[in-house]
Structures are given as structure tokens and as C-alpha cells.
Amino acid sequence: MAEKAFRFGVVAAAQEGGAKWRETARRAEELGYSTLLSPDNLNLPTPTASLATAAAVTTTLRVGSFVLASPLRTARAAAWEAHSLTAMTDGRFELGLGTGLASMRQQAEELGLPYGTGQDRLDSISETIDHVRRLDGDAHTPVMLAAGGPKARRLAAAKADIVTLAGGVLTTRDEFASHVEEIRTAADGRDIELAMNIFVVGEVVPPWIRGFIGVDAATLIEHDSLTMLRGSVDDMAGELERRRDELGVSYVSVNSAFIEEFAPLVALLTGK
């Protein structure tokens, strides 16, 4: 995989209403982010509606699911939504797919769908990609796969355009490096963009983020967690360049809580 230029995404949930969401989309574009990414959860507006709205009020901003959880749709339904967004956004949609959190078992039941085994959920992702490729015709919906385990990494290497390294928040650099090597080997020359999500910029972890990741700032620092960036802008830029050199990661997303704090890095590194 050749070294790629940096690009950046912001992960945001459209939970504060349409006006705030449209403002977030416009601000992300204004600050130079490549992509606005929406999570998938029955407690939030569906990504289909959120991302179509974001694309409608912007010009160049790409939009993406982060990520569609396979237990919440059939493979064919997920592909239908994805291809529809590609068509309606003039090719600005990126389809992020994942197997879903364990907490989504009840959400799947609410929809009348089976949660399934881990292999069932991976098979659904594979089928979704196949359906999207068939529906796209001459178009091409970029597919991002959140790959946390070896089977997911092998599937991503075979079929995805983008792979998000989705280990735990305390996964070490060496462990991530071994995951990347796994992907490179399985990809057998396929051109894949490697991505990573940043939960914390600086040394303060907002309470709701701490509740989600389960650790505090001191623990992240102690373990040199790759889900945290801290220091001056130059320090953080140097760290991202190190990650690209060592891991190949060039596509970096950040939680919307830090959209402004992270913006100087977007301005400094985008396209380089």
C-alpha cells in the first residue's frame, strides 16, 4: 500500500435537531474536513436522513456512516440505503460498515431482526458490499470497514476500500502494527486506505466520552493510547506523521466535541 496524503473526518451525531446538524455540516466543510461521519443507533436519527441533509447544505464535504451496524438491517436494505445516498449526493457518500456493539442485541430485536453470531454479522457485511457493487453499476461507493478482529481484518483486506483500525482504546502500537501487517498481507497488493478514530484531543476526557471508552485521561496517557492526541499543534502533527510512517494511517477522524481544537491540524496536514 503506497503512502497516502492526509485527510480528516469528524464524527457527529444529529441528536440536537436539524438546525444544529446543518450548522455542524457547514462548519466541518468550512474548516476543511474531508468527511462528516454519522454513527448508527436506534436512539439517534437514521444516518440515511442525517447524511442526506448534510450533503444537501454543503458542496464538497463527503458524508459517511460510522458505521452502519449489520444487526440493524438486512444486507440488501443496507446496500439499498448506501447506493441511494451515493446517487443522491453525486458520489459524496462513503459506506462505513461494522458488526455492531453487543448492546445492539436489543435494538435488533426491536426491529424484528436476529442479532446473530459474529460470523453471521460478518457474512452480512460481505453480502452488503456485494449488493452495493451490483447496484452501483459504473459508480463506486467507497466502503470502509471497522476491523476489530482477525476475521474482520481479512474481510476488510479482501473487499474494503478503507479500513478503520478498531482495536480497544488501550491497544498498543505494536499490536496495531501487527494488525496492519495482517491487513497488508491479506490485501495482496490491493490499494487500501488505513484510518483511525481519535476520541480525545488534549488531556481532558469529557464525561460522556469517558463513559463510552471506560477509562480516564491518566490511563490513556499511561498506556500511550492511540485514541488520544495531546500537546502543541506541532506535537500532534508530528505524532500523526509518525503514525502514518509506522502504521500507514492517513485518514483520521475525530469526535465532534473537538472539531475546533483539531481544525489547525486539518489546515496543516490535509493533502500532505
Side-chain angles (χ1 to χ4, degrees), residues 45-122:
T46 172
T48 305
S50 301
L51 297 173
T53 298
V57 298
T58 55
T59 304
T60 60
L61 184 72
R62 300 183 66 78
V63 295
S65 51
F66 196 78
V67 290
L68 288 191
S70 61
L72 303 187
R73 295 163 192 80
T74 65
R76 181 62 176 84
W80 179 32
E81 291 187 20
H83 175 69
S84 297
L85 277 167
T86 292
M88 298 307 294
T89 64
D90 297 322
R92 285 194 281 148
F93 174 65
E94 297 178 5
L95 171 61
L97 294 168
T99 55
L101 302 173
S103 59
M104 289 179 171
R105 182 180 298 274
Q106 182 178 347
Q107 295 187 20
E109 291 173 356
E110 287 183 47
L111 293 168
L113 295 171
Y115 182 74
T117 65
Q119 188 61 56
D120 290 337
R121 300 195 300 279
L122 281 174

Side-chain angles (χ1 to χ4, degrees), residues 11-74:
V11 181
Q15 57 189 357
E16 298 183 28
K20 178 65 175 176
W21 177 248
R22 291 190 292 273
E23 178 185 327
T24 298
R26 294 189 185 102
R27 185 59 176 155
E29 182 172 66
E30 184 179 79
L31 291 173
Y33 286 91
S34 167
T35 319
L36 178 62
L37 302 161
S38 176
D40 188 27
N41 188 305
L42 284 191
N43 298 315
L44 300 171
T46 172
T48 305
S50 301
L51 297 173
T53 298
V57 298
T58 55
T59 304
T60 60
L61 184 72
R62 300 183 66 78
V63 295
S65 51
F66 196 78
V67 290
L68 288 191
S70 61
L72 303 187
R73 295 163 192 80
T74 65

Side-chain angles (χ1 to χ4, degrees), residues 173-195:
R173 290 176 189 266
D174 286 345
E175 287 169 336
F176 268 125
S178 69
H179 296 168
V180 169
E181 186 57 34
E182 248 184 274
I183 293 165
R184 290 183 189 279
T185 300
D188 194 26
R190 287 187 67 244
D191 187 26
I192 294 175
E193 185 177 34
L194 294 176

Side-chain angles (χ1 to χ4, degrees), residues 123-171:
D123 289 345
S124 180
I125 288 173
S126 181
E127 291 168 16
T128 296
I129 297 171
D130 292 344
H131 284 306
V132 169
R133 297 297 180 232
R134 176 178 58 81
L135 292 171
D136 273 351
D138 293 334
H140 182 83
T141 301
V143 172
M144 175 176 68
L145 185 54
K151 290 182 179 179
R153 288 192 286 273
R154 287 195 293 273
L155 176 59
K159 292 191 174 184
D161 302 287
I162 309 160
V163 183
T164 295
L165 301 176
V169 295
L170 302 184
T171 301

